[in-house]
Amino acid sequence: MGYLLYDTLTTILAPAVAMVLAIRSAQRPLLRRFLPRIPFLSDRPVWVQACSVGEVSVAKQLLLAMRQRWPDVPVLLTVSTLPGYRLAQTACPQAPLTLFPFDHRICVRRFIGSVRPRLVILIETEVWPNVVRFTKRFGAPIALVNGRLSDNHYFRYTRFGFFLRPVFAQLDAAGMQTEEYARRIESLGTPRSVIRVTGNLKFDAVATSVSVETQQ
């Protein structure tokens, strides 16, 4: 029943969203989120979703680490906003890049069927019901990285707990920034056994020393 209501709502809203994006010329490129371009991938990729600028900064560090550890595994990076897309083009030039599909069942099902991810990594708060639903149906695991649940996000999620608890329960791993966020995501349905407190990966991008060249 929950997914039926969600699919009905997203289907009703989709034309209005498309109309608003079409009218606003600066946002018009986001219409591609209804049918994202699928870049060439040599094999089944790890799909990393970074919503906007802040998440792309985390993705940059994550992609560097993944390239060192699994150099032969392709990675697909998706973003949801135009500022995030522009930053990803310069910050993550080696990763195939495209827009994140709107969380409508048709958009997501087509995208996942074309990409065929071996693993989906969602950064911070990108837990979208249809992305989770069709990823699990495809048989790929889902990991939440640098997870956070602000007061506003947590309040909204708890209001729809009857629907979202089964969504959060399907996460295979959740690395949360703090113990408070870990408790919050557990209360939303994620098993404690898959939750770890990993700190904030954004701090990994902060320089903690000054290079010789900088000192000169």
Side-chain angles (χ1 to χ4, degrees):
M1 177 61 75
Y3 271 113
L4 177 61
L5 292 173
Y6 184 76
D7 289 341
T8 300
L9 180 61
T10 53
T11 298
I12 292 172
L13 291 177
V17 172
M19 184 178 298
V20 170
L21 294 176
I23 291 172
R24 299 178 178 177
S25 58
Q27 300 297 314
R28 199 169 295 154
L30 290 178
L31 284 169
R32 291 296 303 173
R33 289 188 58 189
F34 285 103
L35 192 66
R37 174 187 61 85
I38 308 296
F40 171 76
L41 298 164
S42 59
D43 198 357
R44 294 178 59 192
V46 174
W47 170 18
V48 178
Q49 160 58 7
C51 180
S52 193
V53 171
E55 292 81 6
V56 170
S57 299
V58 174
K60 177 181 178 180
Q61 305 305 312
L62 185 62
L63 294 178
L64 288 173
M66 291 171 59
R67 190 175 302 120
Q68 292 175 357
R69 186 163 185 177
W70 303 299
D72 298 325
V73 176
V75 176
L76 173 65
L77 177 62
T78 59
V79 295
S80 304
T81 69
L82 295 179
Y85 191 93
R86 289 189 288 267
L87 178 60
Q89 286 178 306
T90 57
C92 312
Q94 303 304 317
L97 173 67
T98 193
L99 290 170
F100 184 66
F102 282 120
D103 201 47
H104 186 282
R105 64 190 307 272
I106 295 176
C107 304
V108 172
R109 184 170 57 187
R110 173 195 173 275
F111 188 86
I112 291 176
S114 298
V115 170
R116 302 172 58 247
R118 67 176 70 195
L119 166 68
V120 175
I121 298 177
L122 308 173
I123 296 179
E124 297 201 355
T125 55
E126 290 296 282
V127 181
W128 291 93
N130 275 325
V131 168
V132 171
R133 171 192 187 185
F134 286 104
T135 295
K136 298 302 290 185
R137 185 174 293 182
F138 182 77
I142 304 171
L144 181 67
V145 171
N146 212 45
R148 67 183 180 90
L149 286 168
S150 66
D151 293 344
N152 288 336
H153 275 100
Y154 183 60
F155 175 72
R156 287 198 296 268
Y157 287 155
T158 53
R159 289 184 63 189
F160 298 97
F162 72 95
F163 168 55
L164 291 176
R165 283 188 64 82
V167 177
F168 279 92
Q170 295 183 76
L171 296 179
D172 296 281
M176 307 303 291
Q177 295 180 17
T178 68
E179 181 60 39
E180 176 63 24
Y181 293 159
R183 287 193 292 268
R184 287 180 177 184
I185 200 169
E186 181 182 11
S187 74
L188 290 171
T190 303
R192 183 69 205 197
S193 60
V194 306
I195 301 171
R196 298 290 184 274
V197 177
T198 56
N200 192 335
L201 297 183
K202 288 178 181 177
F203 294 151
D204 291 346
V206 177
T208 57
S209 62
V210 180
S211 67
V212 173
E213 293 80 1
T214 303
Q215 295 179 47
Q216 294 175 346

